[in-house]
Amino acid sequence: MRKSRGWLWALMSAAFGFLLLLGWLVWSSPRHPVALIRVVDVAGKPVAGAVIRPEGLRTKPGPYVSGWYGWMTGKNGVPNKPVSTDANGYAHVPY
């Protein structure tokens, strides 16, 4: 009888630990993906206060250099609000 209680206790402890780990992973994960965009001038210095209006996203130069991904407001809802760059030229654009 004691042996079966030990196994039951171990199984319940493992299940509780797994649920704690799962809860921690869910709560610590980012809520929405964020694109980190940096604006620099021709000399490579960061531009503070630049306003970015997210209309479309595109990858860095490469095979997809021909266009951008549009944000169809009729299909996808309200577009993202404009974002300003910080003192280091970085802007966090949620998408």
Side-chain angles (χ1 to χ4, degrees), residues 32-37 52-57 80-84 90-95:
H32 300 285
V34 175
L36 182 62
I37 298 174
I52 298 172
R53 291 183 172 82
E55 288 184 18
L57 297 174
N80 290 340
K81 295 179 182 179
V83 180
S84 296
Y90 287 103
H92 299 272
V93 180
Y95 64 96

Side-chain angles (χ1 to χ4, degrees), residues 4-18:
S4 64
R5 280 189 179 174
W7 279 103
L8 180 61
W9 179 253
L11 183 62
M12 288 176 56
S13 296
F16 182 70
F18 176 75

Side-chain angles (χ1 to χ4, degrees), residues 6 13 17 26 37 47 60 68 84:
S13 296
V26 167
I37 298 174
V47 177
K60 61 185 177 180
W68 54 279
S84 296

Side-chain angles (χ1 to χ4, degrees), residues 71-79:
W71 186 271
M72 298 174 280
T73 56
K75 241 181 162 179
N76 300 330
V78 180

Side-chain angles (χ1 to χ4, degrees), residues 14-76:
F16 182 70
F18 176 75
L19 289 175
L20 280 177
L21 177 66
L22 185 62
W24 177 78
L25 286 173
V26 167
W27 284 102
S28 66
S29 65
R31 299 292 178 236
H32 300 285
V34 175
L36 182 62
I37 298 174
R38 187 164 194 220
V39 179
V40 295
D41 61 11
V42 292
K45 294 181 182 177
V47 177
V51 177
I52 298 172
R53 291 183 172 82
E55 288 184 18
L57 297 174
R58 198 53 167 167
T59 59
K60 61 185 177 180
Y64 303 106
V65 77
S66 63
W68 54 279
Y69 299 110
W71 186 271
M72 298 174 280
T73 56
K75 241 181 162 179
N76 300 330

